[in-house]
Amino acid sequence: MDAVGTHIQAAPTLSRHVARTAAIAVAAALVVCLAVSATIGASFSRGEDDQRLRSALAVTSELETLLTLHAAANTDFLEGVGVAGYSSRGWPIRRAAAVAGTYDRLEHDLAGGADALKKLRQLRRLSTAWPQELDTAARNLALANAGDIVQPMLLQHANKTLSSIMTLISDLRSEEREQIADMQFRAQGQLVRQRISLAVASAAGALLLLFALFTRQRASLTKIRSQIVAGEAQRRFREYFEQHPVSMLIFDVHSYEILTANAAAQRQYGATLEQLRTLPADQLRPAADVEEFRRDIQAHLESGTRGGAAGVRRHRRADGEIFYVDVTYHLLDFAGHEACFVTAHDVTAHEQAKESLRVRSRALDASKNAVIISGKIDGNSTITYVNAAFERITGRSAQEAIGAELWNLIGCDISTPDARSMRMAMRAESEGASLLQCRRRDGSVYWIDLHVAPVLDGQDRPTHFVTVFSDVSERVLYQEQLRTQAHEDALTRLPNRLGLKATLTGMIERAVSEGNRLALVFLDLDNFKEVNDTLGHTAGDQVLCEVARRLSGAVSRQELVVRYAGDEFVAALYGRGDVDSFMAAATAMKEALTHGLTVGNRLIVPQASVGVAVFPDHSRDPDTLLKYADAAMYRAKSAGPNSILLFNHEIAVQDNRRATLAQALRHAVASDAFSLAYQPRVNPATGTPSGFEALVRWQDPEHGDVSPSVFVPIAEETGLIVQIGQWVLEHACRQTKAWASQHPDIVVSVNVSPVQFERSDLPAMIAATLERTAVSARNIELEITEGVLMAPGSLVTLRALREMGLSIAIDDFGTGYSSLGYIRSFLADRLKLDMSFVRGIGRSHADEVIVKAVLAMGRTLGMRVVAEGVETPVQLEFLLSNGCDEVQGYWFARPMNAAAAHAYLLHGTAQESTRVT
Ligand code: C2E
Ligand code: MG
Ligand code: MG
């Protein structure tokens, strides 16, 4: 520049024309000079900007490192759950040191003033607290045993802290990013301005050259000067463009041909300059965004603005990876092209963090659980946020929720112990969980499972509470329903056994405090099984419902009737006075049942055996009282149908004996303590035995000889009869086999309990026994009761048994239902007339008529009739004269052991020494 001025002053002899030309040349040189100085000036301030930009980029990168370190710690912690010592996995010393170092560098580099620094310090505090929270959650898990659930509140707390950390980092990065974008734009503007200066300088140089050529005055000097200036500007532009840390590229706005790209862009897009030059710029976008890109360019061209921020866009690396960039653009002329100069700053990490925050906040909004965030203001918790689920569950809008007090809003009864303990937990700034009953605005009741946890600041002071609850009304109602169902009988809707238990204790407590009596009345329907078996279960159900109705009608509101089991009912009567009054009430209840009731087209007269036990006279303990009422009922039943009995000491003794016998019987089955006695069945005219009835005998070391009429019912109740029956059959078959060799027509009968029909595969068991003992089926007879005949499905079994060659006798005929319909459907081989009728011969006309009728019926239907319990010659005479086929009884022989029975077979009389009874 100086050289140009010196040169002008050194030519005083020039003509006016030459002087004008020289002035123009000087002016042109000045323009060039200005352009160059502007470029140089710009390059000074650019140096500072560069520095700031580099430090901002460094801060962004440090923040990214922080983000990565926390994310990695979180991942390691979660992956390590359950592994010994995993709490330290998330935060090893190396990582902790890296975080501390990063914070130190950030404190040094972070621009943005006091506010940013404050945020950074808060961030640092949270980073310190978070590993401790993870540690607490981990210790809790260790306590809860590996594999269990971490106490959700502890982990939630740690997660909240992590979330705050992420948010703060993200905030700082946003601020930093805004600064970078600003600097980016300014840098680009400068470059564009440089290019304009460059263009002006070049134009001025060219002009000067023209003038110089034209005037031939100092032409070469001017030309060199302008070329130097232009070259310098170009070099500076290139240098700045090339070295700029942010990715920059220039492309043709029509052909999208990439004209140039700096080193940062080459790194960012993963391609060399040569490779980039072969790509159209739209190839740097994902296919789906190409249209948008073209529209953007078109809009920039049409808008007339030469540059600006295009916002965040998705770009694509040469290898196809998609990333986010913040784009600014300038339109300019470049190397003869109408071009777009683009800077693209990678903001992928920030966008992802933003996305993850968005997803989290979306998840909160979309959560099925109500979420409330309340701030602690003056000791009260005032709501600052509610999600959509809150509005749905409570029926209250977010608008009315914000600013309201938590407990007023959820409308729960704060006087309950659960609610009180929750409020205390909040006051103590700790966590709490509870099941609460609340009311909606419309008054409807709902149940919530509520969890509250404080959100702590860096000094562990709670600033907020997070309350999460779910509507568990359905579950609670269902549980209530189950509880009711568990206490209620589905058929009669009376309380059941559990219902009785639940109420009885309270009733007894009341009786104690009021000095009153209470009675348990145990009712068991007589022959109910027959109703079920003959009329079907629907009819049986109808009877049970009617019985329930009648019994319920007989008690007061403070008393109770329950269906205890199948056909058993228990009434708890209260405060009726003395024991006699209770007995009178129980008798009245029993009588109330005996009114006829029509089921289908049958008239049924329900009857019950009833036992009564009174508090406090018989026992003060509810279970014992029930046991006594049951025992009294059991005794009443054995006295005949429709009986009632008040508990007494003797019953207790017997009940006790029954229990000990049952125990002894179990041992007897295991130790094979049974034997068989045989009672002959004889021809009444000749006394010749045609066979025997096998009768089981049990001699217990403690209880001595126990009669089958005592232990068989116990064996039936306990199911032991199945094993005992099998034992009896096995031994009877073996004995029969032995006798049959000499007496091929002998028929030995074996008693079969109805329980054996119900609980075992009788035909299979019998077939196997016959085969094992090699006895012929025609030598064996099964004695069944009328009840078996009536049981559903039994006819099929009986026919199967008969097909095997066995004969069937109906035992104790006349004591059960003696339904002629059933007799007709299954014609047995023998009818064994019950001894109660035989006993009436010579005494009761009615009995004699029945005996005659049964004998006549047997004869007509082709069934042999055996009279049981013949003890007197009168009985024998009567039977003989009425055509009885066979008799059995003490008159001829008592049951005896096998040896005696054998002798009886041979001689027709029992040997005294071998008799058993
Ligand atoms: P049941 O089948 O009716 O047997 C006849 C019962 O009458 C036998 O009583 C027998 O000793 C008794 N008896 C026979 N003649 C007379 C008599 O002239 N006067 C009197 N007072 N009694 C007589 P036991 O042996 O005590 O058996 C009683 C009941 O026990 C049997 O009655 C039968 O129902 C059952 N029982 C006996 N053994 C078995 C068995 O092995 N299995 C099953 N399931 N029940 C059996
Ligand atoms: Mg019998
Ligand atoms: Mg009998």
Side-chain angles (χ1 to χ4, degrees):
M1 191 55 63
D2 278 347
V4 174
T6 312
H7 177 73
I8 290 168
Q9 281 169 12
T13 55
L14 287 178
S15 67
R16 274 180 70 208
H17 176 73
V18 169
R20 201 167 57 241
T21 308
I24 292 167
V26 169
L30 269 171
V31 169
V32 172
C33 220
L34 276 173
V36 171
S37 64
T39 310
I40 292 167
S43 78
F44 282 131
S45 76
R46 200 190 68 209
E48 282 167 36
D49 275 356
D50 261 14
Q51 192 46 45
R52 274 215 300 278
L53 181 59
R54 276 178 210 285
S55 119
L57 286 171
V59 166
T60 317
S61 137
E62 296 288 6
L63 288 170
E64 257 154 38
T65 310
L66 263 191
L67 208 64
T68 315
L69 286 167
H70 282 86
N74 195 39
T75 312
D76 287 352
F77 174 82
L78 292 175
E79 274 180 3
V81 168
V83 175
Y86 71 93
S87 66
S88 56
R89 274 174 68 135
W91 217 241
I93 294 175
R94 200 164 26 83
R95 191 171 283 153
V99 169
T102 312
Y103 276 122
D104 290 346
R105 282 193 295 282
L106 276 171
E107 277 190 30
H108 180 261
D109 290 344
L110 193 69
D115 196 40
L117 252 157
K118 201 173 138 200
K119 272 190 190 155
L120 186 67
R121 299 220 166 103
Q122 191 186 351
L123 190 55
R124 195 167 192 159
R125 275 196 301 275
L126 287 173
S127 278
T128 317
W130 184 58
Q132 287 162 8
E133 288 167 14
L134 285 183
D135 202 42
T136 315
R139 271 205 309 276
N140 159 253
L141 177 59
L143 284 178
N145 278 332
D148 261 19
I149 302 161
V150 188
Q151 226 186 66
M153 277 305 166
L154 293 176
L155 202 54
Q156 260 171 34
H157 192 170
N159 283 347
K160 279 270 165 236
T161 308
L162 178 62
S163 166
S164 309
I165 292 171
M166 296 301 196
T167 314
L168 274 173
I169 295 178
S170 175
D171 277 1
L172 287 171
R173 287 174 77 248
S174 282
E175 286 159 17
E176 213 58 27
R177 207 174 59 74
E178 269 165 30
Q179 284 186 27
I180 291 171
D182 191 42
M183 288 186 249
Q184 207 178 320
F185 190 69
R186 267 191 291 152
Q188 203 183 30
Q190 262 172 27
L191 273 171
V192 172
R193 277 197 304 279
Q194 260 179 359
R195 279 200 60 76
I196 293 166
S197 312
L198 174 70
V200 171
S202 302
L207 203 65
L208 207 61
L209 182 65
L210 275 176
F211 270 105
L213 283 172
F214 182 68
T215 58
R216 298 170 186 241
Q217 297 276 331
R218 302 195 184 269
S220 57
L221 177 64
T222 310
K223 184 181 170 191
I224 289 161
R225 287 276 174 205
S226 64
Q227 274 174 349
I228 287 170
V229 168
E232 170 68 7
Q234 185 105 33
R235 195 183 61 73
R236 283 179 186 280
F237 172 79
R238 273 260 147 245
E239 183 190 302
Y240 182 63
F241 182 82
E242 284 303 335
Q243 289 171 8
H244 201 281
V246 172
S247 155
M248 293 176 163
L249 48 81
I250 299 173
F251 64 87
D252 185 296
V253 291
H254 300 294
S255 67
Y256 304 132
E257 179 196 349
I258 294 174
L259 304 170
T260 187
N262 69 357
Q266 293 166 39
R267 279 194 303 277
Q268 184 160 294
Y269 294 96
T272 61
L273 185 59
E274 287 65 41
Q275 287 166 334
L276 282 172
R277 276 191 176 138
T278 62
L279 281 175
D282 54 4
Q283 290 286 297
L284 299 180
R285 271 73 180 166
D289 297 358
V290 169
E291 263 317 302
E292 185 195 27
F293 163 71
R294 290 183 182 157
R295 272 202 309 274
D296 278 354
I297 298 297
Q298 205 49 43
H300 296 333
L301 289 173
E302 283 165 11
S303 71
T305 48
R306 298 303 288 167
V312 175
R313 292 286 185 271
R314 295 197 304 168
H315 277 197
R316 195 173 69 154
R317 281 168 56 87
D319 62 9
E321 191 191 322
I322 309 286
F323 59 102
Y324 288 88
V325 284
D326 199 353
V327 175
T328 53
Y329 72 96
H330 272 90
L331 299 176
L332 45 68
D333 292 329
F334 185 87
H337 294 264
E338 200 179 340
C340 185
F341 173 17
V342 164
T343 65
H345 173 47
D346 186 345
V347 290
T348 308
H350 177 81
E351 285 304 308
Q352 281 169 349
K354 232 169 65 183
E355 177 67 5
S356 118
L357 274 178
R358 195 184 65 80
V359 170
R360 278 181 203 206
S361 114
R362 185 70 203 99
L364 207 62
D365 289 344
S367 165
K368 265 172 58 189
N369 294 335
V371 179
I372 302 174
I373 299 174
S374 44
K376 252 192 73 184
I377 299 166
D378 302 332
N380 284 327
S381 51
T382 307
I383 294 172
T384 54
Y385 167 85
V386 294
N387 68 350
F390 168 88
E391 298 181 277
R392 203 180 51 245
I393 294 173
T394 62
R396 288 180 162 91
S397 70
Q399 216 175 7
E400 71 183 296
I402 307 295
E405 202 276 327
L406 174 70
W407 294 95
N408 291 340
L409 189 77
I410 57 175
C412 86
D413 180 358
I414 53 172
S415 64
T416 65
D418 274 345
R420 274 210 303 273
S421 77
M422 282 303 288
R423 300 190 76 185
M424 268 161 66
M426 283 181 79
R427 240 173 266 139
E429 293 162 355
S430 58
E431 296 169 18
S434 225
L435 182 70
L436 300 174
Q437 192 191 42
C438 304
R439 269 181 200 284
R440 293 194 185 86
R441 197 217 293 273
D442 62 8
S444 57
V445 168
Y446 67 106
W447 286 87
I448 56 171
D449 195 358
L450 181 120
H451 296 251
V452 176
V455 179
L456 306 179
D457 67 5
Q459 273 89 48
D460 281 352
R461 286 177 311 221
T463 55
H464 292 80
F465 280 99
V466 178
T467 308
V468 180
F469 62 81
S470 51
D471 185 349
V472 291
S473 308
E474 256 178 49
R475 193 185 80 202
V476 172
L477 289 180
Y478 182 62
Q479 278 169 347
E480 257 174 22
Q481 233 172 32
L482 280 185
R483 227 187 346 262
T484 317
Q485 273 170 16
H487 286 86
E488 189 183 280
D489 168 48
L491 176 69
T492 60
R493 294 271 168 229
L494 289 180
N496 59 13
R497 190 186 288 236
L498 281 178
L500 174 68
K501 244 185 149 57
T503 321
L504 193 55
T505 317
M507 275 180 97
I508 287 190
E509 277 167 14
R510 185 168 158 215
V512 172
S513 69
E514 293 177 2
N516 263 328
R517 279 198 172 83
L518 177 155
L520 288 186
V521 181
F522 207 112
L523 303 105
D524 182 292
L525 299 186
D526 295 324
N527 300 320
F528 181 70
K529 189 169 179 309
E530 262 107 85
V531 175
N532 257 345
D533 290 348
T534 52
L535 303 178
H537 284 274
T538 314
D541 287 354
Q542 266 176 276
V543 173
L544 289 172
C545 287
E546 179 58 18
V547 167
R549 201 185 62 76
R550 289 180 187 180
L551 292 178
S552 301
V555 300
S556 71
R557 284 176 67 86
Q558 57 181 350
E559 295 172 328
L560 181 74
V561 173
V562 305
R563 182 176 174 206
Y564 193 72
D567 60 350
E568 294 173 348
F569 293 84
V570 174
L573 304 183
Y574 185 81
R576 299 237 180 185
D578 60 6
V579 174
D580 289 344
S581 318
F582 279 107
M583 271 309 275
T587 310
M589 287 177 89
K590 178 175 78 75
E591 289 311 314
L593 295 184
T594 55
H595 304 296
L597 119 98
T598 314
V599 176
N601 52 6
R602 291 277 296 270
L603 183 74
I604 303 231
V605 181
Q607 286 186 333
S609 302
V610 182
V612 182
V614 180
F615 168 93
D617 306 69
H618 300 129
S619 173
R620 304 181 71 87
D621 170 61
D623 288 341
T624 314
L625 204 63
L626 190 65
K627 200 177 96 176
Y628 285 172
D630 186 12
M633 182 280 294
Y634 192 81
R635 274 298 295 281
K637 190 143 246 152
S638 58
N642 206 25
S643 311
I644 181 165
L645 205 65
L646 180 66
F647 177 81
N648 58 42
H649 182 66
E650 193 208 332
I651 293 174
V653 171
Q654 289 213 352
D655 187 53
N656 208 21
R657 182 173 149 79
R658 218 171 92 218
T660 37
L661 274 182
Q663 192 56 27
L665 198 57
R666 267 185 205 101
H667 288 294
V669 169
S671 59
D672 208 6
F674 301 104
S675 62
L676 285 184
Y678 297 91
Q679 186 178 32
R681 251 186 352 259
V682 303
N683 180 323
T686 61
T688 316
S690 53
F692 296 94
E693 176 174 6
L695 294 158
V696 68
R697 295 291 174 261
W698 172 33
Q699 198 186 33
D700 179 70
E702 195 189 325
H703 300 95
D705 286 330
V706 188
S707 161
S709 23
V710 173
F711 77 80
V712 165
I714 298 174
E716 285 178 333
E717 264 173 47
T718 52
L720 291 168
I721 195 69
V722 173
Q723 284 146 283
I724 297 174
Q726 204 167 337
W727 184 94
V728 168
L729 184 72
E730 177 92 23
H731 286 78
C733 284
R734 274 197 219 142
Q735 188 56 65
T736 309
K737 170 74 184 163
W739 286 330
S741 57
Q742 286 175 5
H743 307 275
D745 295 329
I746 192 171
V747 174
V748 174
S749 60
V750 174
N751 292 282
V752 179
S753 157
V755 177
Q756 285 175 271
F757 274 82
E758 279 167 29
R759 299 204 200 164
S760 64
D761 184 356
L762 203 58
M765 187 276 277
I766 293 174
T769 311
L770 293 179
E771 201 184 328
R772 206 167 38 245
T773 55
V775 73
S776 164
R778 55 184 283 276
N779 295 125
I780 301 292
E781 184 169 81
L782 304 178
E783 291 193 11
I784 58 161
T785 53
E786 290 168 74
V788 169
L789 206 57
M790 290 172 176
S794 64
L795 291 186
V796 180
T797 313
L798 287 172
R799 289 195 183 114
L801 292 169
R802 186 180 273 157
E803 263 171 36
M804 284 160 57
L806 298 155
S807 52
I808 308 286
I810 297 176
D811 203 358
D812 305 337
F813 186 74
T815 53
Y817 265 67
S818 305
S819 159
L820 296 177
Y822 279 97
I823 305 268
R824 184 182 53 187
S825 61
F826 183 82
L827 292 175
D829 301 280
R830 278 190 178 80
L831 288 182
K832 297 191 80 174
L833 182 62
D834 191 70
M835 68 175 78
S836 57
F837 300 105
V838 175
R839 212 169 280 147
I841 293 172
R843 292 195 229 160
S844 152
H845 180 63
D847 283 346
E848 287 180 355
V849 169
I850 291 171
V851 171
K852 277 188 193 173
V854 172
L855 289 170
M857 184 183 77
R859 214 171 18 252
T860 320
L861 293 177
M863 295 184 279
R864 292 175 69 78
V865 177
V866 184
E868 288 189 296
V870 178
E871 293 181 346
T872 66
V874 176
Q875 291 163 350
L876 180 65
E877 188 51 41
F878 183 88
L879 292 163
L880 203 53
S881 58
N882 284 289
C884 181
D885 302 297
E886 285 168 292
V887 292
Q888 194 179 327
Y890 294 172
W891 178 252
F892 287 99
R894 287 180 176 256
M896 58 192 86
N897 65 24
H902 190 210
Y904 196 92
L905 255 187
L906 296 175
H907 310 296
T909 53
Q911 312 292 298
E912 274 306 318
S913 60
T914 49
R915 263 189 179 188
V916 289
T917 56

